[in-house]
Amino acid sequence: MPGVTVAQGEGNRDQITIRGQDTTADFYTDGIRDDAQYYRDLYNIEAVEVLKGPNALIFGRGGGGGIVNRVTKKADGERLRSMTVSSGSFGRKRLTVDVGDAINDTLAVRLNGLYEQSYSYRDFFKLERYGVNPTITWHPLEKTFITLSCEHFRDRRTADRGIPSVGGFVFGGSSIYPGYPSPAPIDAFFGVGNPSVEAVNYSKVDLNRAALALDHTTDFGLNIRNQFVYADYEKRYQNTFPDQGLGFVTTLLNPVARTVTPAGIVRLDGYVNSSPRQNIFNQTDLVYKWQMTPDIRHTVMFGAEVGNQISDDNRDLSCFNVSCRTQRVTTPFWTPTAYFPVVFANPNRRRHTNLDLAAGYVQDQVEVTRYVDVIAGVRFDRFDLKYTGFDTGPTDFRGQLRRVDNVWSPRFGLVFKPIEILSVYGSYSRSFLPVAGDQFNVLFPTVANLAPQSFQNVEVGFKAQLLPALLLTGALYQLNRSNQQLTVNATTAILADTRTQGGELGLVGNVTDRWEVSLGYGYQDARVVRTDRTPTLRTPFFTDVGKTNPSVPRNTFSFWNKYDISSF
């Protein structure tokens, strides 16, 4: 997808950047938030949808750059008997099953299952995961469907944080000359391996999710869809890693004292983190289509969402001796896997959040003749967060806070269709992200009084149907984000307003009955336009304005090509 890039996620979670906006939380399953930090699998997925631009009207908070929605496989009465076995390099073994059938005229069942076990090009890496997802659909009336789905998913893997950088130059507390990846062998593991790499560095996830969905269409054409979802995530990861670049250079103008690692020496740090979460959501959507005049047709959507999310974020730091005075160790670069005795017994933070949320939204899509569509809508969100923090640092927060946000998110769009195969559009939309962040675990007294982050997107684009099943799309956009927290280095973070400007082109579909393509190009320029940091006597000419956002490539290109030769 143009404008979407994947990051490492510290070796324990999905992490993506959409139109310059880094996120770990803008993931959904069947339109319901799936925002815990873990690696998802596609064994039970029918399709993956990527929606770009602020999407708060449908999906609520976040979604500034866009969202990713996974559509699950459901029992539909079709007779299915499918098993896929695959293998590959580094001992990869994967098995999936998909079995479904109709029990009678009103009842259908389906079962999807997964088992995977693999190693990797990296020394010591292991992966094992499995999942099972039964679904049952009851069809008591012609236009009524009730679906129950339950999933258990388990993932165990070695936590691998990658390799350190080399070089870098710091002036006045800010890096002005970046480092570059170190010339380490691709299979080198940087971290502690006592008693074993897998015992010290691991990521564990257990997901239990149940969803009950009702879909009913009345005799007068009103479609009613209600979903109730309960999800319990048990997430824990423990890791050791290089905590700074090799041969890092500083200057006397730096007001913060630094420990500089000598050339050829790697400094290792570590921690263990536990972040369980419980989600409960209920969402209702109602859609009604009606014809006002022969040339004017309305598609009205309105709905509501309520939910509760209870989360913990607990962290203990590494200790390399009995007294726990040594929290970091060094090892030569040529032997990056160290075998020091290590325990994780230095308490660092205990954070607990209890979030209540409620929302209502309405949208009307008006078709004015066959040439023009007008889309307008608004969503109201109430975000009530209770935060309890107990961090152990001398300046860290201990106590309880509460933050309530009441936010309106509008959307407006205009679509012009001059000919049957071409549509041109323009849109404006706005969404928000509470100051507690993607995972709402960073609420401190100095932050609690800030306004939520705001995303404002202005976009123009087109869609052309070149062939019956081949679409050419394009877009130009500007996305402004306010109150974004950016990490400058290990000791400095700033509050910034940023702007992402870009364009995208995509060609997707079938060129012929046998030839399928997906071709995409994206250009992004994401920069800081304002910060809360001002020049000082030490750095009178320094400014953050104009610097690029992290993890945003200027150009992205993708090409996927498929030709079916089975009928030859």
Side-chain angles (χ1 to χ4, degrees):
M1 294 290 296
V4 182
T5 53
V6 179
Q8 185 196 29
E10 295 185 336
N12 66 74
R13 63 180 181 268
D14 287 325
Q15 185 159 348
I16 56 176
T17 299
I18 307 179
R19 288 189 170 178
Q21 312 308 311
D22 181 55
T23 180
T24 63
D26 291 320
F27 295 93
Y28 292 78
T29 301
D30 293 327
I32 302 295
R33 184 172 290 274
D34 174 36
D35 55 2
Q37 295 182 324
Y38 71 105
Y39 281 120
R40 294 152 181 84
D41 197 276
L42 303 180
Y43 76 98
N44 60 341
I45 300 304
E46 189 73 36
V48 178
E49 301 172 338
V50 180
L51 287 78
K52 288 177 284 189
N55 293 284
L57 182 65
I58 306 298
F59 295 98
R61 69 183 188 271
I67 65 99
V68 175
N69 181 48
R70 296 181 300 153
V71 181
T72 61
K73 298 176 180 177
K74 300 175 181 65
D76 55 8
E78 294 293 326
R79 184 176 179 84
L80 298 168
R81 300 291 189 271
S82 173
M83 176 184 293
T84 302
V85 180
S86 61
S87 63
S89 303
F90 309 106
R92 182 180 186 270
K93 300 171 286 291
R94 182 178 170 94
L95 168 69
T96 62
V97 296
D98 186 357
V99 180
D101 216 332
I103 303 300
N104 52 43
D105 292 340
T106 62
L107 201 63
V109 295
R110 189 169 184 174
L111 175 67
N112 283 275
L114 155 78
Y115 178 80
E116 181 176 354
Q117 196 272 334
S118 181
Y119 301 94
S120 170
Y121 62 85
R122 187 85 76 197
D123 286 343
F124 310 110
F125 183 89
K126 292 181 180 179
L127 163 69
E128 184 177 37
R129 55 183 170 183
Y130 65 80
V132 58
N133 181 198
T135 65
I136 182 170
T137 298
W138 183 35
H139 183 31
L141 302 172
E142 182 182 358
K143 297 180 180 180
T144 302
F145 299 86
I146 300 174
T147 301
L148 175 64
S149 174
C150 299
E151 180 184 11
H152 174 69
F153 178 70
R154 173 187 174 102
D155 187 295
R156 300 288 186 269
R157 66 180 63 218
T158 305
D160 180 6
R161 293 285 294 272
I163 64 175
S165 62
V166 173
F169 186 82
V170 171
F171 182 83
S174 298
S175 177
I176 62 174
Y177 180 76
Y180 55 90
S182 64
I186 193 173
D187 56 355
F189 182 88
F190 284 79
V192 174
N194 186 9
S196 68
V197 168
E198 298 84 358
V200 177
N201 306 273
Y202 61 80
S203 175
K204 301 178 180 180
V205 172
D206 285 279
L207 163 65
N208 292 287
R209 184 180 188 272
L212 179 64
L214 166 67
D215 192 312
H216 174 69
T217 302
T218 66
D219 293 337
F220 57 88
L222 176 65
N223 179 255
I224 305 169
R225 179 172 175 80
N226 177 271
Q227 283 195 84
F228 174 82
V229 172
Y230 170 84
D232 180 77
Y233 307 86
E234 292 293 333
K235 166 72 181 294
R236 179 182 176 89
Y237 68 96
Q238 182 175 284
N239 56 167
T240 55
F241 53 89
D243 70 345
Q244 65 180 43
L246 306 175
F248 203 84
V249 180
T250 188
T251 75
L252 295 177
L253 292 177
N254 188 355
V256 180
R258 278 184 192 275
T259 301
V260 180
T261 303
I265 300 298
V266 181
R267 193 177 75 175
L268 302 177
D269 200 348
Y271 63 86
V272 58
N273 196 93
S274 177
S275 53
R277 173 168 295 172
Q278 175 186 277
N279 285 351
I280 300 176
F281 292 110
N282 186 271
Q283 181 171 310
T284 302
D285 297 301
L286 300 97
V287 179
Y288 183 64
K289 298 182 179 181
W290 61 287
Q291 187 164 335
M292 184 175 177
T293 71
D295 290 328
I296 300 178
R297 299 176 180 85
H298 291 261
T299 301
V300 181
M301 181 190 70
F302 50 99
E305 177 186 13
V306 294
N308 174 261
Q309 295 183 266
I310 298 176
S311 308
D312 288 292
D313 181 30
N314 303 322
R315 179 170 294 192
D316 295 332
L317 304 181
S318 56
C319 299
F320 290 94
N321 56 27
V322 176
S323 64
C324 208
R325 293 180 179 177
T326 303
Q327 298 177 16
R328 303 176 181 89
V329 293
T330 58
T331 185
F333 174 75
W334 54 89
T335 57
T337 307
Y339 290 90
F340 299 99
V342 59
V343 295
F344 298 85
N346 183 12
N348 174 242
R349 69 189 189 206
R350 299 291 185 270
R351 299 174 183 175
H352 176 79
T353 57
N354 190 326
L355 169 66
D356 292 313
L357 57 95
Y361 43 93
V362 60
Q363 174 180 286
D364 190 7
Q365 179 171 336
V366 187
E367 183 180 343
V368 185
T369 74
R370 69 179 185 86
Y371 297 105
V372 178
D373 287 355
V374 180
I375 304 167
V378 66
R379 174 178 175 126
F380 174 78
D381 282 271
R382 178 177 173 83
F383 190 91
D384 186 351
L385 178 68
K386 279 81 70 177
Y387 176 94
T388 302
F390 188 84
D391 293 1
T392 58
T395 61
D396 289 335
F397 173 69
R398 303 174 184 86
Q400 295 181 332
L401 292 171
R402 183 183 181 189
R403 168 83 194 195
V404 178
D405 290 307
N406 296 298
V407 184
W408 294 92
S409 301
R411 167 193 284 180
F412 178 79
L414 183 66
V415 182
F416 177 57
K417 296 173 283 188
I419 57 177
E420 186 175 354
I421 65 170
L422 176 65
S423 61
V424 181
Y425 71 89
S427 70
Y428 168 83
S429 56
R430 190 176 71 200
S431 68
F432 79 102
L433 180 67
V435 294
D438 268 348
Q439 300 296 327
F440 37 87
N441 61 359
V442 291
L443 195 64
F444 302 111
T446 55
V447 175
N449 296 325
L450 294 175
Q453 296 185 39
S454 173
F455 303 87
Q456 295 187 0
N457 186 78
V458 179
E459 182 173 342
V460 295
F462 72 90
K463 178 185 291 185
Q465 186 177 14
L466 302 183
L467 296 172
L470 184 66
L471 294 177
L472 174 66
T473 61
L476 295 172
Y477 63 88
Q478 178 174 293
L479 177 59
N480 296 325
R481 181 175 183 176
S482 66
N483 291 334
Q484 182 179 1
Q485 297 184 55
L486 294 177
T487 300
V488 177
N489 53 48
T491 61
T492 306
I494 60 174
L495 197 64
D497 292 350
T498 63
R499 175 173 297 158
T500 303
Q501 296 175 317
E504 300 167 355
L505 283 173
L507 181 68
V508 179
N510 285 81
V511 181
T512 68
D513 291 341
R514 297 175 181 172
W515 182 13
E516 185 177 353
V517 299
S518 177
L519 177 67
Y521 169 74
Y523 172 84
Q524 301 173 106
D525 185 15
R527 295 182 181 273
V528 174
V529 295
R530 188 200 64 84
T531 75
D532 61 350
R533 188 165 60 162
T534 58
T536 67
L537 292 176
R538 294 174 181 268
T539 57
F541 304 108
F542 178 79
T543 179
D544 295 304
V545 174
K547 292 195 171 184
T548 57
N549 288 13
S551 302
V552 184
R554 184 67 58 87
N555 298 280
T556 60
F557 176 80
S558 62
F559 180 44
W560 184 84
N561 198 61
K562 176 184 176 182
Y563 196 89
D564 183 5
I565 62 171
S566 60
S567 59
F568 282 2

